[in-house]
């Protein structure tokens, strides 16, 4: 029957998502875990006090990067679960952006960052899950703070049938070949280390696809902008 077919299709989709998540986790964790082990062994064997402190500093940097990576992997798992199982509700993108702007997380990522907010007075409504939208926006902001140039601006805009949450920095952005791969699985270049944007943008892409939207990346007259573009929620006039 059709209901059974839909149920089986949804179940298969969940299994596929879980297989991908496990594969991604194993792939992303293998290198930093091995590096931490090597650096811990180096620090332990180092006889010179100054050299040992340098080794411990490198070890601390690696463990912080690994913590961020684990946060992203768990975030991705939560987004996959929530977007598949929870009902869509009306969410104002301005509230999502304002909540993130007022958090302290970005100050930890980039102390003293020049962060700005551009939202209007009118609601910009979408049918989605607020938590998942927040995770997407946090990853867009974290990427701009880590790799972009100040100032960094988060904004919201409603344009007819579309609703947009965007993050823009004043830099030129990645090379076109890198932009084309952002959001894909296993996206880590040989030189990117643990600062890869692959997992972060895979979260953004997953959220966009779950709610019928897309991710737009490109230059503007002010810099480089990442945009989460979603269908606007129907209003009384459009129903």
């Amino acid at each position: 029957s059709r209901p059974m077919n839909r149920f089986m299709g949804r179940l298969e989709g969940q299994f596929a998502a879980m297989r991908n998540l496990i594969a991604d986790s194993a792939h992303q964790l293998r290198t930093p875990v091995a590096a931490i082990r090597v650096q811990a062994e180096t620090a332990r064997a180092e006889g010179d006090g100054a050299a040992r402190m340098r080794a411990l500093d490198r070890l601390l940097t690696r463990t912080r990067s690994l913590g961020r990576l684990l946060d992203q992997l768990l975030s991705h798992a939560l987004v996959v679960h929530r977007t598949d199982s929870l009902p869509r509700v009306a969410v104002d993108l301005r509230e999502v952006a304002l909540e993130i702007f007022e958090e302290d997380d970005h100050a930890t990522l980039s102390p003293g960052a020049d962060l700005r907010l551009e939202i209007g007075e009118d609601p910009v409504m979408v049918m989605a899950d607020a938590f998942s939208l927040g995770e997407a926006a946090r990853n867009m902001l974290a990427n701009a703070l880590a790799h972009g140039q100040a100032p960094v601006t988060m904004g919201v805009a409603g344009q007819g049938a579309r609703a947009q949450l965007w993050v823009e920095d004043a830099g030129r952005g990645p090379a076109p070949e890198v932009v084309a791969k952002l959001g894909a699985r296993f996206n880590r270049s040989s030189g990117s280390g643990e600062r890869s944007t692959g997992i972060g943008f895979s979260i953004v892409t997953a959220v966009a696809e779950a709610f019928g939207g897309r991710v737009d990346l490109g230059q503007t007259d002010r810099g480089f902008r990442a945009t989460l573009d979603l269908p606007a929620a129907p209003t009384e006039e459009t129903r």
Side-chain angles (χ1 to χ4, degrees), residues 93 124-126 157-164 211-214 216 228-233:
L93 290 181
V124 180
M125 306 300 297
V126 297
Q159 300 179 358
R162 310 302 299 179
Q164 300 172 338
F211 302 128
R214 65 178 186 268
D216 294 329
L228 179 61
D229 186 289
L230 300 169

Side-chain angles (χ1 to χ4, degrees), residues 219-230:
Q219 287 289 136
T220 70
D221 56 355
R222 298 192 302 183
F224 184 79
R225 177 178 292 194
T227 302
L228 179 61
D229 186 289
L230 300 169

Side-chain angles (χ1 to χ4, degrees), residues 47-62:
D48 179 71
R52 176 174 290 183
M53 287 303 300
R54 288 194 296 271
L56 289 173
D57 286 341
R58 290 194 296 270
L59 181 59
L60 180 59
T61 298
R62 285 280 185 171

Side-chain angles (χ1 to χ4, degrees), residues 66-88:
L66 181 58
R68 172 64 181 158
L69 183 59
L70 288 171
D71 285 343
Q72 287 184 312
L73 289 170
L74 290 172
S75 172
H76 199 176
L78 280 171
V79 164
V80 168
H81 168 70
R82 294 178 68 95
T83 55
D84 184 71
S85 60
L86 295 182
R88 275 57 169 157

Side-chain angles (χ1 to χ4, degrees), residues 75 79 100 131-141 165 200 203-205 207-208 228:
S75 172
V79 164
I100 294 171
F131 174 87
S132 298
L133 292 176
E135 290 301 293
R138 285 185 184 89
N139 278 282
M140 292 162 63
L141 179 59
L165 189 154
I203 294 172
V204 181
T205 301
V207 171
L228 179 61

